[in-house]
Every structure is written in structure tokens, then in C-alpha cells.
């Protein structure tokens, strides 16, 4: 058996990213690991319902933004509170793309990663 476990985003400002994911998607840290020399920190965020986590990796010596290429990848969330969440994200100014024909939109995190928001069917 093979199961999904986690997905990783490398981040420049861990505290800013933790605040973003809490405020935008209500994700909370579920575990973390700090290198013995404190050169990196991993924080795993969960939704409190599924076992899937988002791993945020912070590297102490990294100063320049990550090259996300053409950003042709994304993480997706499904919600039964689509309209409420859409309005919240609009007020937060974090919607970076909307596809009204498909009924979806994307938000962008502090490092430029795109996150798709899909209504539950």
C-alpha cells in the first residue's frame, strides 16, 4: 500500500509563512524538527482532519527568494465553505488568479507558491 504523506514548500520567513497558512487556510503545526546546529527547521502543518501535511522548510543561511520556475505546480484544497473562503481571501488580497468558468481560484503565499481552492461538489 502507498499513501500520500506530505508536500514540501521551502520558505524564507518561517514566521510569516506560519501566520499566512493559519490565517488563510487554518493550518496548524502538527510536528517540527530542528537541526542540531539550527541550520534548518521543518514545520509540518495539518488541517486537523486528514493525515496529509504541508512541510515548510526553513534554511538559516538562505537569503535569496526561491526560483519557482514558471509556477506550473500548485497545492490544492477543497472546501465546503467556498464562498466564505473566497470572500476572506479577497479581503486579504491574496487571490492571484481566478477561473470563474471552472469555479476555482488560486491564492499565493509569501514565497509565491500557488494554492488552488476548489468548492466541494
Amino acid at each position: 500500500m502507498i499513501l500520500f504523506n506530505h508536500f514540501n514548500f521551502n520558505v524564507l520567513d518561517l514566521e510569516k509563512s506560519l501566520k499566512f497558512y493559519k490565517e488563510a487556510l487554518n493550518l496548524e503545526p502538527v510536528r517540527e524538527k530542528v537541526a542540531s546546529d539550527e541550520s534548518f527547521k521543518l514545520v509540518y502543518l495539518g488541517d486537523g482532519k486528514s493525515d496529509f501535511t504541508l512541510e515548510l522548510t526553513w534554511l538559516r543561511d538562505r537569503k535569496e527568494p526561491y526560483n519557482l520556475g514558471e509556477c506550473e505546480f500548485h497545492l490544492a484544497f477543497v472546501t465546503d465553505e467556498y464562498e466564505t473562503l473566497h470572500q476572506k481571501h479577497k479581503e486579504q488580497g491574496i487571490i492571484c488568479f481566478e477561473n470563474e468558468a471552472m469555479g476555482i481560484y488560486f491564492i499565493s503565499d509569501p514565497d509565491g507558491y500557488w494554492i488552488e481552492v476548489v468548492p466541494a461538489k
Side-chain angles (χ1 to χ4, degrees):
M1 173 175 20
I2 299 174
L3 301 173
F4 276 110
N5 181 263
H6 73 272
F7 189 78
N8 175 76
F9 284 159
N10 281 36
V11 301
L12 282 179
D13 184 330
L14 184 58
E15 293 310 312
K16 185 176 184 179
S17 293
L18 290 171
K19 183 177 190 284
F20 171 86
Y21 284 101
K22 171 64 179 158
E23 291 178 359
L25 298 165
N26 203 32
L27 300 181
E28 297 273 359
V30 293
R31 69 182 184 283
E32 62 182 55
K33 175 180 175 51
V34 179
S36 58
D37 64 356
E38 298 186 359
S39 62
F40 71 86
K41 185 173 186 177
L42 310 176
V43 178
Y44 295 85
L45 304 177
D47 59 17
K49 294 175 181 54
S50 70
D51 292 333
F52 185 85
T53 55
L54 174 60
E55 173 189 352
L56 299 181
T57 299
W58 171 81
L59 305 173
R60 179 186 61 209
D61 298 331
R62 180 73 184 212
K63 304 301 180 219
E64 65 278 349
Y66 289 95
N67 179 346
L68 303 183
E70 296 181 23
C71 226
E72 289 298 325
F73 59 90
H74 63 271
L75 184 61
F77 287 83
V78 64
T79 179
D80 59 0
E81 299 173 3
Y82 184 85
E83 294 302 325
T84 301
L85 204 54
H86 181 268
Q87 184 59 37
K88 176 181 176 178
H89 291 156
K90 191 174 185 177
E91 290 168 4
Q92 291 174 323
I94 59 175
I95 295 176
C96 58
F97 180 76
E98 289 191 66
N99 186 327
E100 292 179 13
M102 291 181 68
I104 62 170
Y105 68 93
F106 293 81
I107 59 176
S108 180
D109 87 347
D111 291 278
Y113 295 104
W114 280 31
I115 300 148
E116 181 179 4
V117 181
V118 179
K121 301 288 184 205

